[in-house]
Amino acid sequence: MLKYKAGDLDVAVIGAGHAGIEAALAASRMGLRSALFTLSLDLVGNMPCNPSIGGTGKGHLVYEITALGGEMGYAADKVMLQSRMLNLSKGPAVHSLRMQSDRRAYQGYMKKVLEETENLSLIQGEVVEVCAENGAVTGVVTAFGGFFAAKAVIIATGTSLGGMIIVGEHAYDSGPDNTKAANALTESLASLGIPLRRFKTGTPARIHKDSIDFSVLEEQKGDVPPTYFTVDGEKSEGGVNCHITYTNGETHRIIRENLHRSPLYGGEIKGVGPRYCPSIEDKVMRFADKERHQIFIEPMGADTKEMYLQGLSSSLPEEVQKDLVHSIKGLENAVFMRTAYAIEYDCTDPTELLPTLEFKRVSGLYGAGQFNGSSGYEEAAAQGLMAGINAALKIKGQPSLVLSRSESYIGTLIDDLVTKGTNEPYRMMTSRSEYRLLLRQDNAEDRLIEKGYRIGLVKQAQYDRYLADKAAVEEEIVRLKGETQSKCPALDELMIKNGYSPTEGGIRKADLLLRSGVGIDDIYALEGRESPLDTRLKRRVETEIKYAGYIDKQRREVERFASMESKKLPEDIDYSAIKGIRLEAAQKLQKFRPQSIGQASRISGISPADISVLLVYLSRYGGER
């Protein structure tokens, strides 16, 4: 191919999905000349699956992205159709915000932000080659022969890389939503020695709103007032309702009788799919004793009749899809607008990456999002943000930013990927963190905003507002710990109502708040006044006081494990030469090259005995290296 010099960049980002957007914005906002390449400008910020942001575990990621200076939370707040806080019947550690979003409005918001960002060029063009010399990237080449010199390249190709859509017996090269697949780039990455594999995901059919019988469906309303991901961003009032229906015995019969036509079960699909977001045929077969499965009917936007059938992802033939949808209550006359499909795509083995998301074997080359083996918009955005930050820091000659498991879900996500790897599309869940009570949504700024501010992504106004909020919370906690509530009929009534005997005298207000069933609003009612804090900060005070003992316990656990993370392993260790270590352990350590004892301990197959041998080795020889 004839090439011409098209431009000089610091950072080139390939793919304008959720990972690519955050990567490009982070690098450009940190002052680097950046370009974001996309197969089509109409794909910027696309939501090919459910147009929603957040959810269990995922909401935590969005709060953390916001605290670090990312954009996803601001976009979600602006285009929100419905806001719901999940898991409120459980403890605050697993409360997770989920927003139904207006798909096209989200895309429009993100495209406008990118277009208005200094140092950033948004370019429609297929990148077909990543160039490298002497083990380091030098730039990228587009399909039209344009060579863009670059000091760092971030791959955020989503499901477009080697994409293939599969519906029943039909299979064809395609990215999501029948867009162009990126095939040439696969060959280029393979030539650089980047290992690739096939994963699979899918999406349900979209049906016309007017063909749904809403009178027989369960209505699912949003929270009033809504909760938001940001404090400082523009807000939508939402107010759109979703609906719920269920599969039934007839639905399951149709699926079972047509299982031989399923490419998932017939072997046509080779890629590994997400265990936590299975297709409807997979759910019916895996949970054979379950009489029904829940289906959420959700809008694609405020100005469209398209409705999304969450829970009905499928790759069955189109006519079978229609039969099974028509068997469901309220959907008997559903009119298909988009057929469900499965999509296979190329991705890499994330254990080939450093914790900065830079490839070990190619300096300046980074991976982010589904290319790294994850699934989900939020997981992608979190990785894109960190890849963009670390690419910029490396070019500036500054220390990299690696978040630990004990300070963030983002750190947990990346550590899981680069240390343990994944055999299926990785999905974030609160259960993946050992420190859930420390990593709540409501304290994301406490944990991360200093880092975002230090590297220049968090604006001064946002940081100043955070400092004011922090001071207000701390002041109220000190007040409640220091003041005593006098004995009175209202206090006695409150105690009896919650199953306690009346107090003999007064009680410290913080101690009263420790009683089960007693909330902070009860304290203010006893004081005869309104809360001095808004709902967001008020709940924060309540959580910090009520769960203080558990929080302190987790902090001690973090301190105990911190010593493991601080014991660094030399990059040039020959693990096969360490006496006493098992052969399997030596081989895995040689392959993954962990950076610390803590990271080594999390590699699958590494036993406590192996770690003990490593510790002895470090104590004997570490100082000499």
Side-chain angles (χ1 to χ4, degrees):
M1 177 192 296
L2 291 175
K3 301 176 185 177
Y4 73 95
K5 186 66 175 292
D8 286 298
L9 303 169
D10 291 315
V11 180
V13 182
I14 307 172
H18 306 281
I21 286 171
E22 297 292 352
L25 287 175
S28 59
R29 287 169 173 173
M30 292 172 70
L32 300 186
R33 292 169 302 165
S34 307
L36 178 58
F37 295 89
T38 175
L39 292 168
S40 169
L41 289 177
D42 297 327
L43 287 176
V44 172
N46 189 29
M47 294 179 163
C49 199
N50 193 354
S52 68
I53 299 295
T56 303
K58 295 169 177 282
H60 291 71
L61 291 174
V62 182
Y63 276 100
E64 292 180 357
I65 289 166
T66 302
L68 286 167
E71 196 66 33
M72 175 174 267
Y74 290 96
D77 283 355
K78 175 67 174 175
V79 306
M80 180 266 292
L81 298 175
Q82 183 190 81
S83 171
R84 294 179 63 240
M85 188 69 75
L86 308 181
N87 303 322
L88 284 177
S89 62
K90 302 176 182 178
V94 296
H95 293 175
S96 298
L97 181 59
R98 180 185 186 273
M99 285 185 178
Q100 193 68 24
S101 302
D102 187 311
R103 179 184 186 182
R104 297 306 178 201
Y106 187 96
Q107 288 184 272
Y109 174 98
M110 283 301 196
K111 187 168 182 282
K112 186 172 187 288
V113 169
L114 293 166
E115 291 170 344
E116 295 178 348
T117 298
E118 292 184 24
N119 306 312
L120 178 59
S121 298
L122 179 59
I123 300 173
Q124 178 170 296
E126 180 184 0
V127 173
V128 297
E129 182 182 358
V130 174
C131 303
E133 292 179 7
N134 302 318
V137 298
T138 57
V140 299
V141 178
T142 67
F144 295 148
F147 172 71
F148 292 81
K151 299 170 185 174
V153 175
I154 300 172
I155 305 170
T157 46
T159 60
S160 293
L161 190 65
M164 175 179 286
I165 280 182
I166 305 170
V167 180
E169 297 85 2
H170 301 275
Y172 53 94
D173 290 347
S174 177
D177 286 329
N178 282 331
T179 56
K180 179 179 172 60
N183 293 323
L185 185 58
T186 291
E187 298 175 13
S188 173
L189 295 175
S191 70
L192 292 177
I194 302 301
L196 296 171
R197 55 186 177 174
R198 298 288 278 179
F199 272 2
K200 164 257 175 187
T201 189
T203 190
R206 274 71 156 175
I207 62 175
H208 198 289
K209 181 178 181 179
D210 293 346
S211 67
I212 301 171
D213 182 2
F214 289 100
S215 67
V216 298
L217 303 182
E218 297 177 20
E219 192 172 53
Q220 185 183 56
K221 296 182 178 180
D223 295 340
V224 179
T227 304
Y228 297 97
F229 285 116
T230 71
V231 179
D232 317 288
E234 294 184 61
K235 310 290 197 300
S236 163
E237 295 182 2
V240 175
N241 294 334
C242 298
H243 294 80
I244 299 173
T245 186
Y246 300 87
T247 62
N248 52 55
E250 176 63 9
T251 313
H252 299 182
R253 182 194 65 77
I254 292 169
I255 291 171
R256 291 192 183 97
E257 290 186 358
N258 287 279
L259 209 59
H260 64 285
R261 298 187 66 191
S262 167
L264 182 65
Y265 284 86
E268 290 85 355
I269 292 178
K270 308 296 182 184
V272 181
R275 184 174 16 140
Y276 299 103
C277 188
S279 65
I280 186 61
E281 51 264 41
D282 207 15
K283 282 192 281 191
V284 168
M285 296 309 295
R286 281 168 52 187
F287 306 103
D289 58 337
K290 197 166 184 178
E291 294 182 356
R292 65 179 190 172
H293 294 278
Q294 199 170 44
I295 307 300
F296 295 88
I297 303 175
E298 301 170 328
M300 298 289 286
D303 298 320
T304 178
K305 294 284 189 177
E306 277 190 83
M307 303 296 287
Y308 184 89
L309 302 180
Q310 183 189 344
L312 275 181
S313 175
S314 178
S315 60
L316 286 163
E318 184 178 66
E319 64 270 29
V320 178
Q321 290 186 33
K322 290 182 177 180
D323 286 345
L324 72 88
V325 168
H326 291 156
S327 72
I328 297 172
K329 186 178 181 180
L331 307 182
E332 293 88 350
N333 299 305
V335 174
F336 272 46
M337 296 182 72
R338 304 189 196 218
T339 302
Y341 62 83
I343 185 167
E344 285 190 341
Y345 56 95
D346 291 331
C347 57
T348 193
D349 178 355
T351 61
E352 294 287 324
L353 301 167
L354 296 167
T356 58
L357 297 181
E358 183 180 21
F359 276 91
K360 297 173 183 176
R361 64 180 74 191
V362 184
S363 177
L365 183 63
Y366 296 77
Q370 285 178 286
F371 177 73
N372 288 352
S374 64
S375 74
Y377 308 145
E378 304 80 5
E379 292 88 341
Q383 293 171 70
L385 177 63
M386 298 308 298
I389 288 171
N390 281 309
L393 291 173
K394 181 171 183 174
I395 292 170
K396 289 182 170 186
Q398 297 175 5
S400 59
L401 177 61
V402 175
L403 303 178
S404 70
R405 299 180 70 89
S406 61
E407 67 184 341
S408 65
Y409 273 90
I410 294 177
T412 303
L413 161 68
I414 293 175
D415 185 67
D416 278 351
L417 287 171
V418 305
T419 302
K420 302 175 183 177
T422 182
N423 294 320
E424 63 180 349
Y426 177 101
R427 177 182 180 180
M428 176 50 66
M429 298 175 288
T430 54
S431 60
R432 294 194 187 274
S433 174
E434 308 93 316
Y435 309 109
R436 290 189 291 278
L437 199 51
L438 295 182
L439 307 184
R440 307 185 310 276
Q441 292 182 143
D442 67 358
N443 69 355
E445 287 189 330
D446 273 354
R447 296 182 276 116
L448 299 174
I449 200 170
E450 292 280 356
K451 299 178 189 296
Y453 180 68
R454 188 177 66 246
I455 61 177
L457 288 183
V458 171
K459 297 176 182 177
Q460 187 66 49
Q462 180 185 354
Y463 187 65
D464 289 343
R465 188 269 311 152
Y466 156 72
L467 292 177
D469 286 349
K470 181 180 180 182
V473 168
E474 291 175 349
E475 181 180 342
E476 187 67 351
I477 290 174
V478 169
R479 183 185 77 83
L480 293 173
K481 286 183 176 180
E483 291 185 1
T484 298
Q485 174 62 46
S486 301
K487 183 176 175 63
C488 63
L491 175 60
D492 291 344
E493 183 180 338
L494 178 65
M495 297 294 285
I496 293 171
K497 173 186 172 184
N498 289 287
Y500 300 100
S501 299
T503 59
E504 294 184 4
I507 182 172
R508 196 172 62 143
K509 292 175 180 177
D511 290 340
L512 177 59
L513 195 53
L514 293 176
R515 300 292 196 276
S516 177
V518 177
I520 195 166
D521 286 327
D522 294 318
I523 305 293
Y524 295 133
L526 288 171
E527 294 175 341
R529 66 181 183 127
E530 295 292 327
S531 168
L533 305 175
D534 63 26
T535 300
R536 176 177 56 91
L537 300 182
K538 180 174 63 175
R539 296 305 172 206
R540 174 75 188 284
V541 170
E542 181 175 276
T543 298
E544 291 287 347
I545 292 177
K546 273 188 171 294
Y547 295 89
Y550 299 102
I551 291 171
D552 288 342
K553 181 180 178 181
Q554 282 209 342
R555 285 185 177 137
R556 289 194 296 272
E557 291 176 4
V558 169
E559 292 170 2
R560 189 163 62 249
F561 286 109
S563 61
M564 299 277 279
E565 300 297 335
S566 66
K567 295 184 187 301
K568 300 300 180 183
L569 291 166
E571 294 181 4
D572 59 345
I573 286 185
D574 180 1
Y575 291 99
S576 63
I578 299 178
K579 293 181 180 179
I581 202 163
R582 295 177 306 119
L583 177 60
E584 178 193 1
Q587 290 173 340
K588 288 196 171 184
L589 291 167
Q590 203 75 13
K591 175 184 176 183
F592 293 123
R593 311 300 304 178
Q595 296 187 326
S596 68
I597 289 290
Q599 190 180 11
S601 70
R602 293 189 293 274
I603 296 174
S604 176
I606 303 299
S607 70
D610 298 322
I611 296 300
S612 296
V613 172
L614 278 180
L615 288 170
V616 171
Y617 173 83
L618 283 182
S619 66
R620 290 180 178 175
Y621 305 107
E624 302 174 9
R625 300 180 64 87

